Amino acid sequence: MIPKVDEFIRKAGEWQKEFEKLRRILLDCGLTEEWKWNLPCYTFQNSNIAIIQGFKNYGALMFFKGVLLKDPKGILIQPGENSQAQRQIRFSNVQEIDEMEDSLRAYILEAIEVEKAGLQVNFKETKEYNIPEELQHKFDEIPALKAAFEALTPGRQRGYLIYFSKAKQSKTRVSRIEKYMQHILDGRGLKD
């Protein structure tokens, strides 16, 4: 058990009991506790299995390769429209966790088996994402921007494409692109 996780749970406010319960279940399943992305992360042989998350209206146990789990109870939720691999089990109180403890253990053990089997998620290729017209215009105007964008990792490219495309208005897309042009030229991702 890691002191940063102890502190995280102590400061979890309304989710403290729920996070303590999840922590015990995860550790009982033989996972190793780590601290990643400022959250308690649970691994098996150095591979990420699950992470504990707290939101305003719910807490969640998020599985990194949740899309590969069978989900016989129908409790796995895609956290966002662009989430390809992750799936969450959400809860609003410790009683819900108590009621689904056996199911949680089964999902955790299945996630470990997925990792042992070496299964991988087939991610959507970056080239399958549409390049917003406004970004293509900037690429045409500034070839160095296009070269810098293409030099980014696929994940960073996807992050930008999703972020730019989400804007409903062209002027907002242009504003977002202009705001992050230097980031792209510097080889940085959206959140770097």
Side-chain angles (χ1 to χ4, degrees), residues 138-140 142-152 157 184-185 187:
K138 286 291 180 189
F139 286 165
D140 295 342
I142 309 167
L145 180 64
K146 181 177 183 181
F149 184 84
E150 290 173 348
L152 293 172
Q157 290 178 21
I184 294 169
L185 291 166

Side-chain angles (χ1 to χ4, degrees), residues 3-4 9 15 41 46 71 103-104 106 111 113 120-121 128 133 137 146 155 159-160 166 169 173 189-190:
K4 282 189 176 186
I9 291 173
W15 300 118
C41 182
N46 297 317
D71 196 20
S103 296
L104 287 171
E113 290 304 315
Q120 298 295 322
V121 175
E128 295 177 57
E133 183 179 318
H137 288 309
K146 181 177 183 181
Y160 281 120
K166 277 192 172 184
Q169 296 184 10
R173 286 189 293 276
L190 191 64

Side-chain angles (χ1 to χ4, degrees), residues 65-175:
K65 293 183 180 177
V67 72
L68 299 177
L69 302 179
K70 291 182 181 83
D71 196 20
K73 302 283 184 183
I75 57 175
L76 291 176
I77 297 169
Q78 184 176 359
E81 66 181 82
N82 295 305
S83 299
Q84 295 182 56
Q86 306 87 356
R87 294 295 182 268
Q88 296 174 329
I89 296 176
R90 296 179 180 174
F91 52 86
S92 57
N93 57 57
V94 75
Q95 291 78 22
E96 288 181 14
I97 296 172
D98 288 339
E99 291 168 6
M100 64 175 147
E101 183 171 348
D102 291 340
S103 296
L104 287 171
R105 289 180 187 279
Y107 280 74
I108 294 164
L109 294 174
E110 183 184 356
I112 293 169
E113 290 304 315
V114 163
E115 203 56 48
K116 283 180 180 177
L119 301 179
Q120 298 295 322
V121 175
N122 293 322
F123 289 100
K124 183 176 174 181
E125 295 283 329
T126 303
K127 63 186 174 193
E128 295 177 57
Y129 289 86
N130 291 326
I131 295 176
E133 183 179 318
E134 296 82 359
L135 182 59
Q136 187 60 54
H137 288 309
K138 286 291 180 189
F139 286 165
D140 295 342
E141 289 175 24
I142 309 167
L145 180 64
K146 181 177 183 181
F149 184 84
E150 290 173 348
L152 293 172
T153 63
R156 287 185 171 124
Q157 290 178 21
R158 283 191 302 271
Y160 281 120
L161 293 174
I162 290 167
Y163 178 67
F164 296 154
S165 296
K166 277 192 172 184
K168 293 178 183 167
Q169 296 184 10
S170 178
K171 68 180 181 178
T172 306
R173 286 189 293 276
V174 169
S175 173

Side-chain angles (χ1 to χ4, degrees), residues 26-42:
L26 289 155
L27 292 172
D28 286 350
C29 288
L31 295 177
T32 302
E33 184 173 79
E34 297 188 31
W35 183 250
K36 297 182 180 184
W37 307 285
N38 293 316
L39 293 169
C41 182
Y42 297 84

